[in-house]
């Protein structure tokens, strides 16, 4: 369908384009603008936006990437811009202001109503990644004491502009959150029922400064569709909807993937992040780890006599180091993920460690025996085979232990467990394995050293 | 509140327990059973379940881990079990049958109604991870031509047992999906409106055999609350709700984390997976990678003469290998994640590669110059400093290229890009870097070799 629209647009068959637009999802229409932008077809781009029906334009706009939104804002007249802004939900409105460069923000603010301007300034004060920065003020609320019939009347009157109508909030005169009632409960009740008798008087809620990661977890734990946000005095100030919680879940996962590979997380998608930013995000950890590897290097220097006498020893360094690194990253990944999903908590520390020790023993029995036999066959040197396999065993146990201990320790110290991932553990394990390897060799093979 | 309940339960203050239960969320009650189970307090465990009000017992049950569900099923009488089963949603019912051991399944099936038994057998035929295995049959549907008033009548009559009432489906007499209408649209319309005029006649839907990962992506792309599932003849057979899609998102992320660390994904949580299973999931890749590291080892053997003459060369092996591995895993993580989120597609191949090359150059300028200076200061050997830094530069470029190319190649070949992660790339990069390092040394330092 997308392809068809672009063709019709090029052929200037605008009424056919309009017909197709009516059948398409807003998210797909937003994608279409990305395509036109990457082809740098500004004319078509602007024309297509003007062909959108008034009632969907704002929604399509809210699905766009910031770069595309910027282009649109720049292309619109003040009146057109005002129409879009009026129809935006407050959370998308705030996102827009947060993402745009200063001169675009200025134009957006000039075209906002005084009321919206005030609200946005208020929202911008909440910390990034807090409930306050995620929430929207388009929710349905009733005063305590209303009947179901009266509640439906309010929904019918005001519901059209609300982000969700399915979860409604019951408040006191001072807007304190007293309870939550769903449209489902109201539909299944008699029209003259007082909503107070239907509502959940102990509703799950969050505070404006609560962290978005915890909020996303609550959505998935309690299967919620919308979460009320209250201020320090218990007054409802906004709601967060499930679609935004899903985005948070994906963003937090992406952040963990990036941290675990030794990178500073990016806000933008890969293709839109400039090369210089990507490089900056990667260099710090690379540098730290490269310099840390000097420790392992210094050890090797110290054991020079050993490998000059028995050069075969050098052959097994990559194998021992790589296996140690892989074992450590397996363990740390399991633990970091378990901590992130609240499946593991610091109090499970000994249970997890004992588990890793046993897994390490099983893995090392398999790996070391295969390796022992293969060294024996290839080099007919049982002594070296024993030194390598023995080192491998200790390295595996050490790597799996570190992979378990370090993330849990980070959690206890209120650091992010994700930084205790593969790169760091590999570096520590390397030094340990070289130490074990050459000390074992110096002692056990002492008669073969020059 | 959880702690209080356990205390009151121990003191046999059952009416106080019941009062607290009424105020708690079902998900939190389910957690309570996990706590009691880990304390192996079977008496309290069974008693608490019997104290749950009839209408919440099934929901609490559906939030429990399979191990806990099994204990409950074993403890219940046939009549009690039938009550729970009757109140379960079909997707939770099918999950239960899929997760339980054979003898428990037998009891569950014996206590199911013939109708449910038939349905379950039908659901079990769908492939794991398909729409069919995720969906539930508790949805609201109307025949085409009904008025809004009639639709609300149906919701009021049948809605109480449905997993969602907010999205309703309009079907033909043969149950072909004709459109989707939301309660919101119906509430905002006049009671005598024909629903056909309100419905989306081109609704997003999936087929029974579609993959759950793609479905979860559609939920997040289109901000949906429920997705209709149709069979090969276009008849609606079930719906998938957003809460299940969120679980799929988390499961798929966990799978990627595990694969990227060189493990076979587990179905269960870390603490509940037996040691032997964890070890099995890890050994295969460890073994493959350990044996692959033999290649690097064999190369080192080949270059024995070089490092016996200049032992200092060995000192830098860990640094070069680690940095290569880290660079590769940074690049592959970004690409794998980008592919998983559909932010990168195989057609962006050259764009991504060109990006990685430039990032690699920036990173290597920083790393190599720092390393060059530090080797110069520490060892006063500009020749070795040059060999090491030169190798480092080529290794970084190679690692970043591989980290970009391999995942995209996997995607093109319809393999899972997540397997082309850090462990594999590290192993390949190791061999490459040793090759470059010693060839460079043999050529450039030839006059210093014995």
């Amino acid at each position: 369908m997308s392809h068809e629209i672009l063709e019709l647009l090029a052929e200037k068959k605008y009424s056919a384009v309009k017909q197709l637009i009516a059948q398409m999802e807003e998210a797909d229409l937003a994608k279409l603008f990305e395509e036109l932008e990457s082809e740098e077809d500004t004319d078509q781009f602007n024309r297509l936006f003007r062909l959108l029906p008034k009632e969907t334009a704002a929604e399509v706009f809210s699905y766009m990437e910031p770069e595309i939104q910027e282009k649109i804002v720049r292309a619109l007249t003040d009146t057109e811009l005002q129409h879009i802004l009026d129809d935006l939900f407050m959370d998308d409105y705030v996102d827009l202001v947060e993402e745009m460069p200063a001169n675009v923000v200025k134009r957006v603010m000039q075209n906002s109503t005084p009321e919206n301007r005030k609200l946005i300034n208020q929202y911008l004060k909440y910390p990034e990644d807090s409930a306050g920065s995620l929430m929207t003020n388009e929710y349905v609320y009733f005063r305590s004491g209303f009947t179901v019939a009266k509640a439906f009347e309010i929904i019918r009157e005001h519901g059209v502009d609300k982000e969700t109508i399915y979860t409604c909030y019951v408040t006191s005169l001072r807007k304190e959150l007293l309870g939550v009632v769903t449209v489902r409960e109201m539909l299944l009740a008699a029209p003259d029922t007082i909503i107070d008798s239907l509502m959940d008087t102990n509703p799950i809620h969050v505070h404006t400064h609560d962290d978005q990661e915890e909020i996303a977890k609550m959505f998935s734990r309690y299967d919620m569709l919308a979460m009320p946000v209250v201020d320090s005095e218990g007054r409802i100030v906004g709601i967060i909807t499930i679609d935004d919680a899903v985005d948070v879940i994906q963003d937090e996962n992406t952040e963990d993937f990036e941290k675990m590979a030794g990178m500073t997380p990016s806000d933008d998608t890969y293709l839109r992040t400039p090369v210089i930013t990507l490089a900056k995000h990667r260099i710090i950890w690379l540098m730290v780890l490269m310099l840390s590897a000097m420790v392992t290097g210094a050890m090797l220097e110290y054991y020079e006599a050993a490998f000059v006498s028995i050069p075969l020893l050098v052959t097994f360094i990559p194998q021992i180091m790589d296996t140690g690194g892989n074992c450590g990253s397996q363990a740390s990944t399991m633990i970091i993920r378990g901590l992130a999903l609240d499946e593991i908590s610091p109090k499970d520390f000994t249970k997890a460690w004992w588990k890793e020790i046993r897994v390490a023993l099983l893995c090392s029995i398999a790996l070391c025996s295969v390796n022992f036999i293969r060294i024996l066959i290839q080099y007919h040197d049982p002594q070296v085979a024993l030194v390598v396999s023995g080192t491998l065993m200790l390295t595996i146990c050490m790597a799996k232990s570190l992979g378990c201990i370090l993330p849990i320790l980070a959690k206890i110290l209120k650091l992010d467990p994700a930084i205790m991932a593969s790169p760091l553990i590999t570096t520590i394990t390397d030094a340990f394995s070289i130490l074990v390897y050459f000390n074992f060799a110096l002692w056990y093979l002492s008669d073969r050293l020059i």
Side-chain angles (χ1 to χ4, degrees), chain A residues 270-282:
Chain A
Y270 175 76
L271 289 176
R272 294 195 177 272
T273 310
V275 168
I276 187 90
T277 313
L278 284 176
K280 258 195 234 160
H281 287 174
R282 298 186 191 181

Side-chain angles (χ1 to χ4, degrees), chain A residues 35 80 110 117 186 241 358 418:
Chain A
E35 259 176 66
E80 287 170 326
Q110 278 166 352
R117 224 175 358 242
M186 292 195 287
T241 47
R358 284 175 294 164

Side-chain angles (χ1 to χ4, degrees), chain A residues 60-105:
Chain A
V60 173
F61 183 81
S62 70
Y63 274 109
M64 292 172 179
E65 296 285 331
E67 292 76 12
I68 314 287
Q69 290 183 330
E70 191 182 329
K71 289 221 161 179
I72 300 272
V73 173
R74 288 187 194 278
L76 293 180
T77 66
D78 279 357
T79 329
E80 287 170 326
L81 180 59
Q82 281 161 20
H83 276 301
I84 300 290
L85 293 177
D86 277 354
D87 285 353
L88 274 186
F89 284 123
M90 191 45 67
D91 51 348
D92 298 319
Y93 210 140
V94 174
D95 283 348
L96 180 72
V97 172
E98 278 175 339
E99 302 276 356
M100 292 298 108
N103 55 348
V104 178
V105 169

Side-chain angles (χ1 to χ4, degrees), chain A residues 435-448:
Chain A
L435 200 73
V436 171
Y437 187 42
F438 282 100
N439 274 308
F440 196 177
L442 284 175
W443 167 75
Y444 187 63
L445 308 174
S446 55
D447 51 329
R448 287 166 63 180

Side-chain angles (χ1 to χ4, degrees), chain A residues 226-240:
Chain A
M227 171 83 79
V229 183
V230 302
D231 65 12
S232 54
E233 291 168 63
R235 289 178 303 209
I236 179 165
V237 286
I239 60 164
I240 298 169

